[in-house]
Amino acid sequence: MVKRTSLKRAECPVARSLDAIGDWWSLLIVRDAFDGARRFGEFQNSLGISKGILTTRLRDLVAQGVLDTVPASDGSAYQDYVLTKKGQDLFPIVVGLRQWGEDHCFEPGEAHSVLVDNETAERVGRLEIRSRSGRAVGWADTTVRKAGTPSPVQRRSAPAKRSRRSASTAAGP
Amino acid sequence: MVKRTSLKRAECPVARSLDAIGDWWSLLIVRDAFDGARRFGEFQNSLGISKGILTTRLRDLVAQGVLDTVPASDGSAYQDYVLTKKGQDLFPIVVGLRQWGEDHCFEPGEAHSVLVDNETAERVGRLEIRSRSGRAVGWADTTVRKAGTPSPVQRRSAPAKRSRRSASTAAGP
Protein backbone atom coordinates (compact mmCIF):
# COMPACT_ATOMS: atom_id res chain seq x y z
CA MET A 1 0.00 0.00 0.00
CA VAL A 2 1.29 3.42 -0.90
CA LYS A 3 1.95 5.87 1.91
CA ARG A 4 0.39 3.71 4.59
CA THR A 5 1.99 5.75 7.32
CA SER A 6 -0.24 8.66 6.37
CA LEU A 7 -3.24 6.67 7.59
CA LYS A 8 -1.91 5.31 10.85
CA ARG A 9 -2.60 8.45 12.87
CA ALA A 10 -5.64 9.58 10.92
CA GLU A 11 -8.58 10.76 12.97
CA CYS A 12 -10.87 8.84 10.59
CA PRO A 13 -11.62 5.32 11.85
CA VAL A 14 -12.14 4.11 8.27
CA ALA A 15 -8.57 5.04 7.36
CA ARG A 16 -7.16 3.47 10.51
CA SER A 17 -9.04 0.25 9.85
CA LEU A 18 -7.71 0.02 6.34
CA ASP A 19 -4.22 0.66 7.64
CA ALA A 20 -4.57 -2.00 10.33
CA ILE A 21 -6.05 -4.65 8.07
CA GLY A 22 -3.28 -4.24 5.53
CA ASP A 23 -4.49 -5.18 2.08
CA TRP A 24 -7.00 -7.34 0.29
CA TRP A 25 -4.99 -10.51 0.80
CA SER A 26 -5.12 -9.93 4.52
CA LEU A 27 -8.89 -9.68 4.43
CA LEU A 28 -9.11 -12.88 2.36
CA ILE A 29 -6.98 -14.59 5.00
CA VAL A 30 -9.47 -13.38 7.61
CA ARG A 31 -12.33 -14.65 5.45
CA ASP A 32 -10.69 -18.07 5.28
CA ALA A 33 -10.19 -18.04 9.05
CA PHE A 34 -13.93 -17.35 9.48
CA ASP A 35 -14.45 -20.31 7.21
CA GLY A 36 -12.36 -22.63 9.38
CA ALA A 37 -8.81 -22.37 8.03
CA ARG A 38 -6.12 -22.52 10.72
CA ARG A 39 -2.96 -23.89 9.10
CA PHE A 40 -0.48 -22.12 6.84
CA GLY A 41 -1.08 -24.75 4.19
CA GLU A 42 -4.84 -24.31 4.38
CA PHE A 43 -4.56 -20.60 3.73
CA GLN A 44 -2.08 -21.20 0.96
CA ASN A 45 -4.25 -23.80 -0.78
CA SER A 46 -7.27 -21.55 -0.58
CA LEU A 47 -5.61 -18.36 -1.74
CA GLY A 48 -3.02 -19.70 -4.15
CA ILE A 49 -0.45 -17.09 -3.14
CA SER A 50 3.27 -17.48 -2.61
CA LYS A 51 4.66 -18.62 0.72
CA GLY A 52 6.51 -15.33 1.04
CA ILE A 53 3.43 -13.17 0.63
CA LEU A 54 1.37 -15.36 2.93
CA THR A 55 4.10 -15.40 5.58
CA THR A 56 4.27 -11.61 5.58
CA ARG A 57 0.50 -11.17 5.73
CA LEU A 58 0.06 -13.69 8.55
CA ARG A 59 2.86 -12.07 10.52
CA ASP A 60 1.28 -8.63 10.05
CA LEU A 61 -2.15 -9.89 11.10
CA VAL A 62 -0.63 -11.39 14.25
CA ALA A 63 1.23 -8.13 14.92
CA GLN A 64 -2.04 -6.22 14.54
CA GLY A 65 -3.77 -8.55 16.99
CA VAL A 66 -6.23 -9.83 14.38
CA LEU A 67 -4.85 -13.38 14.47
CA ASP A 68 -3.10 -15.23 17.24
CA THR A 69 -0.87 -18.28 17.02
CA VAL A 70 -1.59 -21.34 19.15
CA PRO A 71 -0.08 -24.84 19.30
CA ALA A 72 -1.58 -27.05 16.61
CA SER A 73 -4.84 -28.65 17.69
CA ASP A 74 -3.61 -32.08 16.55
CA GLY A 75 -0.57 -32.00 18.83
CA SER A 76 1.92 -31.72 15.94
CA ALA A 77 4.81 -29.26 15.87
CA TYR A 78 2.88 -26.86 13.61
CA GLN A 79 1.10 -23.79 14.83
CA ASP A 80 -2.46 -22.79 14.11
CA TYR A 81 -3.68 -19.29 13.37
CA VAL A 82 -6.88 -18.35 15.15
CA LEU A 83 -8.97 -15.20 15.09
CA THR A 84 -8.78 -12.99 18.16
CA LYS A 85 -11.82 -11.02 19.32
CA LYS A 86 -10.50 -8.13 17.22
CA GLY A 87 -10.34 -10.46 14.23
CA GLN A 88 -13.81 -11.89 14.85
CA ASP A 89 -15.14 -8.34 14.95
CA LEU A 90 -14.25 -8.02 11.26
CA PHE A 91 -17.18 -10.28 10.43
CA PRO A 92 -19.65 -7.49 9.51
CA ILE A 93 -17.11 -6.07 7.06
CA VAL A 94 -16.65 -9.44 5.39
CA VAL A 95 -20.44 -9.88 5.26
CA GLY A 96 -20.78 -6.38 3.78
CA LEU A 97 -18.28 -7.23 1.06
CA ARG A 98 -20.11 -10.48 0.41
CA GLN A 99 -23.50 -8.84 0.03
CA TRP A 100 -22.18 -6.07 -2.20
CA GLY A 101 -20.42 -8.67 -4.35
CA GLU A 102 -23.60 -10.73 -4.61
CA ASP A 103 -25.50 -7.64 -5.72
CA HIS A 104 -23.02 -6.17 -8.14
CA CYS A 105 -20.30 -8.59 -9.19
CA PHE A 106 -22.18 -11.57 -10.63
CA GLU A 107 -24.19 -12.02 -13.77
CA PRO A 108 -27.85 -12.91 -13.23
CA GLY A 109 -28.04 -16.61 -12.48
CA GLU A 110 -24.27 -16.99 -12.05
CA ALA A 111 -23.41 -19.35 -9.20
CA HIS A 112 -21.82 -18.07 -6.02
CA SER A 113 -21.41 -19.17 -2.44
CA VAL A 114 -23.94 -17.95 0.11
CA LEU A 115 -23.82 -17.26 3.84
CA VAL A 116 -26.50 -19.18 5.71
CA ASP A 117 -27.87 -19.12 9.23
CA ASN A 118 -27.01 -22.46 10.87
CA GLU A 119 -30.37 -22.65 12.63
CA THR A 120 -32.53 -22.37 9.53
CA ALA A 121 -30.12 -23.00 6.61
CA GLU A 122 -31.57 -19.80 5.13
CA ARG A 123 -29.39 -16.98 3.89
CA VAL A 124 -28.77 -14.29 6.47
CA GLY A 125 -30.52 -10.96 6.09
CA ARG A 126 -29.09 -7.74 4.72
CA LEU A 127 -26.69 -5.68 6.79
CA GLU A 128 -28.57 -2.61 7.86
CA ILE A 129 -27.57 0.68 9.39
CA ARG A 130 -30.00 1.92 11.97
CA SER A 131 -30.34 4.91 14.23
CA ARG A 132 -30.16 4.32 17.97
CA SER A 133 -33.93 4.17 17.98
CA GLY A 134 -33.96 1.48 15.29
CA ARG A 135 -34.92 3.55 12.24
CA ALA A 136 -33.15 2.41 9.05
CA VAL A 137 -30.75 5.06 7.78
CA GLY A 138 -28.94 5.37 4.45
CA TRP A 139 -25.82 7.36 3.74
CA ALA A 140 -27.81 10.47 2.84
CA ASP A 141 -29.36 10.39 6.33
CA THR A 142 -25.99 10.64 8.02
CA THR A 143 -23.07 13.01 8.42
CA VAL A 144 -19.50 12.49 9.53
CA ARG A 145 -18.69 14.83 12.41
CA LYS A 146 -15.03 15.62 12.81
CA ALA A 147 -13.32 15.01 16.10
CA GLY A 148 -13.79 17.94 18.43
CA THR A 149 -16.64 19.44 16.43
CA PRO A 150 -19.81 20.32 18.34
CA SER A 151 -22.92 18.58 17.12
CA PRO A 152 -24.91 20.75 14.71
CA VAL A 153 -27.69 18.84 13.02
CA GLN A 154 -26.88 19.17 9.35
CA ARG A 155 -28.34 17.24 6.48
CA ARG A 156 -26.06 15.49 4.07
CA SER A 157 -26.53 16.63 0.48
CA ALA A 158 -28.28 14.25 -1.87
CA PRO A 159 -25.88 12.68 -4.40
CA ALA A 160 -26.79 15.08 -7.22
CA LYS A 161 -26.44 18.15 -5.07
CA ARG A 162 -23.49 20.28 -4.16
CA SER A 163 -20.62 18.97 -2.14
CA ARG A 164 -20.52 19.26 1.62
CA ARG A 165 -16.77 19.13 1.35
CA SER A 166 -16.34 22.70 2.53
CA ALA A 167 -18.63 22.21 5.53
CA SER A 168 -17.17 21.75 8.96
CA THR A 169 -18.53 18.24 9.10
CA ALA A 170 -16.41 16.92 6.22
CA ALA A 171 -14.00 14.21 7.36
CA GLY A 172 -10.43 14.35 6.21
CA PRO A 173 -8.50 11.12 5.83
CA MET B 1 -2.70 -6.01 -5.84
CA VAL B 2 -0.95 -9.28 -6.45
CA LYS B 3 -2.64 -11.81 -8.73
CA ARG B 4 -5.85 -9.85 -8.95
CA THR B 5 -7.00 -11.87 -11.92
CA SER B 6 -7.29 -14.90 -9.67
CA LEU B 7 -10.18 -13.19 -7.88
CA LYS B 8 -12.15 -11.84 -10.81
CA ARG B 9 -13.92 -15.10 -11.56
CA ALA B 10 -14.01 -16.40 -8.01
CA GLU B 11 -17.29 -17.91 -6.86
CA CYS B 12 -16.84 -16.08 -3.55
CA PRO B 13 -18.57 -12.69 -3.52
CA VAL B 14 -16.08 -11.37 -0.96
CA ALA B 15 -13.19 -11.96 -3.37
CA ARG B 16 -15.05 -10.41 -6.27
CA SER B 17 -15.88 -7.35 -4.24
CA LEU B 18 -12.28 -6.87 -3.26
CA ASP B 19 -11.26 -7.27 -6.86
CA ALA B 20 -13.86 -4.77 -8.05
CA ILE B 21 -13.11 -2.14 -5.42
CA GLY B 22 -9.42 -2.22 -6.21
CA ASP B 23 -7.40 -1.22 -3.19
CA TRP B 24 -7.55 0.77 0.01
CA TRP B 25 -7.08 4.07 -1.79
CA SER B 26 -10.11 3.34 -3.87
CA LEU B 27 -12.19 2.79 -0.77
CA LEU B 28 -10.91 6.03 0.75
CA ILE B 29 -11.97 7.81 -2.45
CA VAL B 30 -15.42 6.29 -1.99
CA ARG B 31 -15.42 7.40 1.64
CA ASP B 32 -14.63 10.95 0.54
CA ALA B 33 -17.39 10.81 -2.06
CA PHE B 34 -19.84 9.80 0.69
CA ASP B 35 -18.55 12.79 2.56
CA GLY B 36 -19.29 15.17 -0.28
CA ALA B 37 -16.11 15.28 -2.40
CA ARG B 38 -16.75 15.54 -6.14
CA ARG B 39 -13.71 17.20 -7.70
CA PHE B 40 -10.30 15.75 -8.48
CA GLY B 41 -8.72 18.43 -6.33
CA GLU B 42 -11.03 17.69 -3.41
CA PHE B 43 -10.02 14.03 -3.41
CA GLN B 44 -6.38 14.95 -3.79
CA ASN B 45 -6.44 17.42 -0.92
CA SER B 46 -8.17 14.94 1.33
CA LEU B 47 -6.00 11.95 0.53
CA GLY B 48 -2.66 13.59 -0.12
CA ILE B 49 -1.77 11.15 -2.90
CA SER B 50 -0.08 11.83 -6.21
CA LYS B 51 -2.07 12.94 -9.24
CA GLY B 52 -0.99 9.80 -11.06
CA ILE B 53 -2.27 7.40 -8.41
CA LEU B 54 -5.50 9.33 -7.99
CA THR B 55 -6.08 9.49 -11.75
CA THR B 56 -5.69 5.74 -12.05
CA ARG B 57 -7.96 4.99 -9.08
CA LEU B 58 -10.69 7.34 -10.27
CA ARG B 59 -10.54 5.87 -13.76
CA ASP B 60 -10.80 2.34 -12.36
CA LEU B 61 -13.74 3.27 -10.13
CA VAL B 62 -15.55 4.76 -13.13
CA ALA B 63 -14.75 1.64 -15.18
CA GLN B 64 -16.17 -0.52 -12.37
CA GLY B 65 -19.35 1.57 -12.30
CA VAL B 66 -18.75 2.74 -8.73
CA LEU B 67 -18.32 6.38 -9.75
CA ASP B 68 -19.71 8.26 -12.73
CA THR B 69 -18.48 11.50 -14.27
CA VAL B 70 -20.89 14.38 -14.78
CA PRO B 71 -20.42 17.96 -15.94
CA ALA B 72 -19.29 20.16 -13.08
CA SER B 73 -22.16 21.43 -10.98
CA ASP B 74 -20.82 25.00 -11.18
CA GLY B 75 -20.89 25.09 -14.98
CA SER B 76 -17.10 25.14 -15.32
CA ALA B 77 -15.17 22.93 -17.73
CA TYR B 78 -14.26 20.48 -14.95
CA GLN B 79 -16.01 17.22 -14.34
CA ASP B 80 -17.42 15.97 -11.09
CA TYR B 81 -17.23 12.41 -9.81
CA VAL B 82 -20.46 11.12 -8.29
CA LEU B 83 -21.34 7.82 -6.69
CA THR B 84 -23.55 5.52 -8.73
CA LYS B 85 -26.10 3.26 -7.03
CA LYS B 86 -23.40 0.57 -7.00
CA GLY B 87 -21.08 3.04 -5.29
CA GLN B 88 -23.69 4.15 -2.77
CA ASP B 89 -24.25 0.50 -1.90
CA LEU B 90 -20.71 0.41 -0.49
CA PHE B 91 -21.93 2.45 2.48
CA PRO B 92 -22.38 -0.47 4.90
CA ILE B 93 -18.80 -1.59 4.20
CA VAL B 94 -17.45 1.88 4.96
CA VAL B 95 -19.58 2.01 8.12
CA GLY B 96 -18.30 -1.43 9.11
CA LEU B 97 -14.71 -0.27 8.70
CA ARG B 98 -15.51 2.85 10.70
CA GLN B 99 -17.04 0.95 13.61
CA TRP B 100 -14.23 -1.61 13.71
CA GLY B 101 -11.68 1.21 13.65
CA GLU B 102 -13.48 3.00 16.48
CA ASP B 103 -13.44 -0.18 18.54
CA HIS B 104 -9.91 -1.34 17.88
CA CYS B 105 -7.68 1.34 16.37
CA PHE B 106 -7.83 4.21 18.87
CA GLU B 107 -6.49 4.62 22.35
CA PRO B 108 -9.10 5.18 25.05
CA GLY B 109 -10.15 8.81 24.91
CA GLU B 110 -8.33 9.49 21.64
CA ALA B 111 -10.35 11.79 19.37
CA HIS B 112 -11.90 10.51 16.18
CA SER B 113 -14.65 11.51 13.79
CA VAL B 114 -18.10 9.98 14.31
CA LEU B 115 -21.00 9.15 12.01
CA VAL B 116 -24.21 10.77 13.17
CA ASP B 117 -27.86 10.44 12.22
CA ASN B 118 -28.97 13.78 10.73
CA GLU B 119 -32.34 13.60 12.44
CA THR B 120 -31.06 13.28 15.96
CA ALA B 121 -27.35 14.22 15.74
CA GLU B 122 -26.71 10.98 17.65
CA ARG B 123 -24.23 8.40 16.49
CA VAL B 124 -25.73 5.67 14.36
CA GLY B 125 -26.19 2.22 15.85
CA ARG B 126 -23.99 -0.80 15.37
CA LEU B 127 -24.10 -2.74 12.13
CA GLU B 128 -25.83 -5.99 12.88
CA ILE B 129 -26.20 -9.25 11.05
CA ARG B 130 -29.61 -10.81 11.47
CA SER B 131 -31.38 -13.89 10.31
CA ARG B 132 -34.36 -13.45 8.00
CA SER B 133 -36.57 -13.62 11.06
CA GLY B 134 -34.61 -10.83 12.74
CA ARG B 135 -32.54 -12.84 15.23
CA ALA B 136 -29.02 -11.41 15.71
CA VAL B 137 -26.39 -13.82 14.40
CA GLY B 138 -22.61 -13.83 14.84
CA TRP B 139 -20.07 -15.53 12.66
CA ALA B 140 -20.24 -18.74 14.67
CA ASP B 141 -23.96 -18.95 13.89
CA THR B 142 -23.37 -18.99 10.15
CA THR B 143 -21.81 -21.15 7.46
CA VAL B 144 -20.67 -20.38 3.94
CA ARG B 145 -22.34 -22.76 1.51
CA LYS B 146 -20.48 -23.27 -1.72
CA ALA B 147 -22.19 -22.65 -5.02
CA GLY B 148 -24.11 -25.71 -6.11
CA THR B 149 -24.02 -27.36 -2.69
CA PRO B 150 -27.33 -28.58 -1.27
CA SER B 151 -28.28 -27.05 2.04
CA PRO B 152 -27.31 -29.25 4.98
CA VAL B 153 -27.68 -27.48 8.28
CA GLN B 154 -24.19 -27.57 9.72
CA ARG B 155 -22.88 -25.66 12.67
CA ARG B 156 -19.75 -23.62 12.29
CA SER B 157 -17.01 -24.64 14.70
CA ALA B 158 -16.37 -22.35 17.60
CA PRO B 159 -13.06 -20.48 17.24
CA ALA B 160 -11.11 -22.80 19.53
CA LYS B 161 -12.41 -25.94 17.89
CA ARG B 162 -11.23 -27.88 14.91
CA SER B 163 -11.27 -26.41 11.43
CA ARG B 164 -14.23 -26.85 9.14
CA ARG B 165 -11.85 -26.40 6.26
CA SER B 166 -12.24 -29.97 5.10
CA ALA B 167 -16.04 -29.79 5.17
CA SER B 168 -17.99 -29.36 1.98
CA THR B 169 -19.21 -25.99 3.12
CA ALA B 170 -15.77 -24.37 3.15
CA ALA B 171 -15.57 -21.52 0.65
CA GLY B 172 -12.55 -21.30 -1.60
CA PRO B 173 -11.41 -17.90 -2.82
Side-chain angles (χ1 to χ4, degrees):
Chain A
M1 180 160 187
V2 190
K3 280 188 72 175
R4 285 189 53 185
T5 50
S6 69
L7 305 178
K8 203 181 294 295
R9 305 316 302 165
E11 75 156 32
C12 172
V14 181
R16 288 217 191 167
S17 286
L18 295 177
D19 186 74
I21 295 168
D23 69 4
W24 286 160
W25 285 119
S26 304
L27 208 48
L28 290 174
I29 290 168
V30 169
R31 174 204 63 178
D32 283 349
F34 279 126
D35 210 34
R38 295 168 67 100
R39 286 287 173 80
F40 188 94
E42 291 175 321
F43 293 110
Q44 199 188 10
N45 288 341
S46 169
L47 296 170
I49 54 177
S50 76
K51 287 188 178 185
I53 292 175
L54 180 57
T55 299
T56 306
R57 296 302 183 284
L58 285 169
R59 188 187 59 209
D60 291 348
L61 287 168
V62 171
Q64 286 289 345
V66 169
L67 293 178
D68 200 3
T69 53
V70 297
S73 51
D74 61 2
S76 70
Y78 293 101
Q79 61 185 3
D80 284 359
Y81 293 90
V82 295
L83 289 161
T84 62
K85 171 69 165 60
K86 183 175 179 179
Q88 292 174 34
D89 285 351
L90 287 167
F91 193 56
I93 295 169
V94 174
V95 172
L97 287 163
R98 159 175 290 283
Q99 294 186 339
W100 188 80
E102 290 174 352
D103 289 343
H104 296 291
C105 301
F106 287 81
E107 299 297 323
E110 192 182 359
H112 58 74
S113 63
V114 294
L115 182 69
V116 299
D117 174 8
N118 291 341
E119 292 295 327
T120 62
E122 288 184 329
R123 290 167 70 176
V124 302
R126 307 287 308 181
L127 271 186
E128 287 185 342
I129 303 158
R130 295 190 174 275
S131 69
R132 299 270 159 159
S133 65
R135 179 172 42 85
V137 292
W139 76 271
D141 305 311
T142 64
T143 299
V144 172
R145 198 169 67 213
K146 270 188 158 176
T149 309
S151 54
V153 176
Q154 177 173 8
R155 285 175 196 284
R156 191 191 286 273
S157 314
K161 300 225 182 112
R162 180 58 205 144
S163 165
R164 293 187 308 107
R165 169 58 44 183
S166 58
S168 65
T169 49
Chain B
M1 181 159 187
V2 191
K3 279 189 73 176
R4 285 190 51 185
T5 51
S6 69
L7 305 178
K8 203 181 294 296
R9 306 314 303 165
E11 75 155 32
C12 172
V14 180
R16 287 216 192 168
S17 287
L18 295 177
D19 186 74
I21 296 168
D23 69 4
W24 285 160
W25 285 119
S26 305
L27 207 49
L28 290 174
I29 291 168
V30 169
R31 174 204 63 177
D32 284 348
F34 279 126
D35 210 34
R38 297 168 65 102
R39 286 287 173 81
F40 188 94
E42 290 175 323
F43 293 110
Q44 199 188 11
N45 288 341
S46 169
L47 296 170
I49 53 177
S50 77
K51 287 189 178 183
I53 292 175
L54 181 56
T55 299
T56 306
R57 297 301 184 284
L58 286 169
R59 188 187 60 209
D60 290 348
L61 287 168
V62 171
Q64 285 289 344
V66 169
L67 293 178
D68 201 3
T69 54
V70 297
S73 52
D74 60 2
S76 70
Y78 293 101
Q79 61 185 2
D80 284 359
Y81 293 90
V82 294
L83 289 161
T84 62
K85 171 68 166 62
K86 183 175 179 178
Q88 292 173 35
D89 285 352
L90 287 167
F91 193 56
I93 296 168
V94 174
V95 173
L97 287 163
R98 160 174 291 282
Q99 294 186 341
W100 187 81
E102 290 174 353
D103 290 344
H104 297 291
C105 301
F106 287 80
E107 298 297 322
E110 191 181 0
H112 59 74
S113 63
V114 294
L115 182 70
V116 299
D117 174 8
N118 291 341
E119 292 295 327
T120 62
E122 288 184 329
R123 289 169 69 176
V124 303
R126 308 286 308 181
L127 271 186
E128 287 185 343
I129 303 158
R130 294 188 174 274
S131 69
R132 299 272 158 157
S133 66
R135 180 171 43 84
V137 292
W139 77 272
D141 305 311
T142 64
T143 298
V144 172
R145 199 168 66 212
K146 271 188 157 176
T149 310
S151 55
V153 176
Q154 178 173 6
R155 287 174 195 283
R156 192 191 286 273
S157 314
K161 299 228 183 109
R162 180 57 206 145
S163 166
R164 295 186 309 107
R165 169 58 45 182
S166 58
S168 64
T169 49

